[in-house]
Amino acid sequence: MSDVAVNAPVCRRGGLSFLDRFLTLWIFLAMAVGVASGYLIPGVEKFINRFQAGTTNIPIAIGLILMMYPPLAKVRYEELGDVFRNWKVLGLSLVQNWIIGPILMFVLAIVFLRDYPDYMTGLIMIGLARCIAMVIVWNELARGDTEYCAGLVAFNSVFQVLFYSLYAWVFIKLLPPLLGVSLGDIDLSKITIGSIAESVFIYLGIPFLAGMITRFVLVKARGREWYERKFIPRISPITLIALLFTILVMFSLKGDQIVRIPVDVLRIAVPLLIYFVVMFLVSFWMGRRIGADYSKTATLSFTAASNNFELAIAVAVAVFGIGSGAAFAAVIGPLVEVPVLIGLVNVALYFQRRYFAHESVS
């Protein structure tokens, strides 16, 4: 296992803070409070939507940026060159994220939501939006390789900027009619490389640049020992606090709908659950098959199983509107992803003990 900065409090099993120790409970509470607020308090959704710039919700954007900053500030950017030397791992990630993932979600959307074209479209959009945000949190909790995660996230972001609009056209406009699936008259003109690039920059570029600048400046000014033993532990709690805040805001926006149409929530949740579990297990198996160590195998699995739900929501809102079925399906994404990925973190740690016990763990 490479000497990576995974020793922050968020990743240790011993000496966990009160917030870290009951993370799953806090996440479910944040979801519950968000849904209850959206359903019981009149005007919550309208109030939150006042802080909107184009398709970007400012509170959600701030939460996501703060959530990603501490993990990205931990990355040893001076060692990133080693990440891209392993073409076998990068090639496997490309196949998992841009071939297996989109096709699997497309098939599940058609199988489970063929009679609900709006929901089906939202699900397909989630499948096309690859990880750039919360995967960093899951990877840290599972003791994955921080540098590889940062490298794969950067790689997926560039690929996403260049090809998301093309993928959306193929999977939403071209393939369904060929398979006899009708989505009606869908206008994809607003799905452009420019709009996708804007979302990627907001949710990834800003914290990435902030993390990189912070590391280079402070390591040079105060030394690596101070930076990793003093500064990083101080900023690490920001990730979990921002995660809980983001979840609360997102579920407040759709709380009313989630309560009013629970059957539709379940209808969308079933294929999502299957997707996350299958992608994780298949990717973990593929990582072991190519001989990757635990940290890289875990990173491959979580980057493949996670999705960029904030991008899917932004695109769905821009194209179909905030009240559309596609936007509603996109919001259900994190409702399923958060608890499932928390569960898969524990599965990954179990796999580490069972299949990678021979490796030295930091």
Side-chain angles (χ1 to χ4, degrees), residues 233-264:
R234 289 175 186 169
I235 66 171
S236 290
I238 295 174
T239 293
L240 300 183
I241 294 170
L243 170 62
L244 297 176
F245 168 78
T246 303
I247 290 171
L248 190 151
V249 173
M250 291 189 67
F251 287 100
S252 295
L253 284 171
K254 291 295 182 180
D256 183 59
Q257 280 186 278
I258 290 172
V259 173
R260 283 192 296 105
I261 47 177
V263 175
D264 284 16

Side-chain angles (χ1 to χ4, degrees), residues 110-131:
I110 290 178
V111 170
F112 285 90
L113 298 171
R114 187 186 183 106
D115 296 330
Y116 302 87
D118 286 349
Y119 295 161
M120 181 170 64
T121 301
L123 210 66
I124 293 172
M125 284 185 165
I126 294 174
L128 301 180
R130 310 313 300 170
C131 61

Side-chain angles (χ1 to χ4, degrees), residues 118-335:
D118 286 349
Y119 295 161
M120 181 170 64
T121 301
L123 210 66
I124 293 172
M125 284 185 165
I126 294 174
L128 301 180
R130 310 313 300 170
C131 61
I132 67 168
M134 291 178 72
V135 62
I136 296 175
V137 178
W138 312 137
N139 183 69
E140 285 229 335
L141 290 172
R143 304 192 190 111
D145 190 312
T146 309
E147 276 69 39
Y148 262 89
C149 187
L152 294 178
V153 163
F155 176 74
N156 282 333
S157 298
V158 173
F159 204 96
Q160 200 157 231
V161 170
L162 296 176
F163 297 110
Y164 187 90
S165 58
L166 175 62
Y167 265 66
W169 182 81
V170 170
F171 280 89
I172 296 175
K173 200 70 174 179
L174 180 64
L175 290 182
L178 291 177
L179 298 175
V181 178
S182 174
L183 291 177
D185 187 18
I186 295 178
D187 179 17
L188 298 180
S189 61
K190 293 183 180 179
I191 301 181
T192 64
I193 289 179
S195 62
I196 303 303
E198 179 182 349
S199 295
V200 171
F201 175 75
I202 291 171
Y203 298 120
L204 177 67
I206 292 175
F208 203 102
L209 289 173
M212 183 183 296
I213 292 170
T214 298
R215 181 172 183 87
F216 285 138
V217 171
L218 292 185
V219 167
K220 184 176 182 180
R222 301 293 300 271
R224 183 163 170 170
E225 180 79 7
W226 174 89
Y227 184 83
E228 295 187 352
R229 292 188 178 274
K230 299 291 185 180
F231 178 73
I232 290 300
R234 289 175 186 169
I235 66 171
S236 290
I238 295 174
T239 293
L240 300 183
I241 294 170
L243 170 62
L244 297 176
F245 168 78
T246 303
I247 290 171
L248 190 151
V249 173
M250 291 189 67
F251 287 100
S252 295
L253 284 171
K254 291 295 182 180
D256 183 59
Q257 280 186 278
I258 290 172
V259 173
R260 283 192 296 105
I261 47 177
V263 175
D264 284 16
V265 173
L266 182 62
R267 186 175 284 117
I268 297 167
V270 170
L272 283 169
L273 173 62
I274 295 172
Y275 172 85
F276 294 133
V277 173
V278 169
M279 282 299 295
F280 176 84
L281 294 177
V282 169
S283 299
F284 208 99
W285 176 80
M286 293 173 74
R288 286 198 69 206
R289 289 286 294 177
I290 66 169
D293 64 13
Y294 168 77
S295 64
K296 293 181 179 63
T297 300
T299 298
L300 282 169
S301 301
F302 282 104
T303 53
S306 303
N307 289 86
N308 184 358
F309 59 82
E310 61 273 16
L311 178 60
I313 291 170
V315 174
V317 170
V319 177
F320 305 106
I322 187 66
S324 67
F328 178 69
V331 169
I332 299 304
L335 175 67

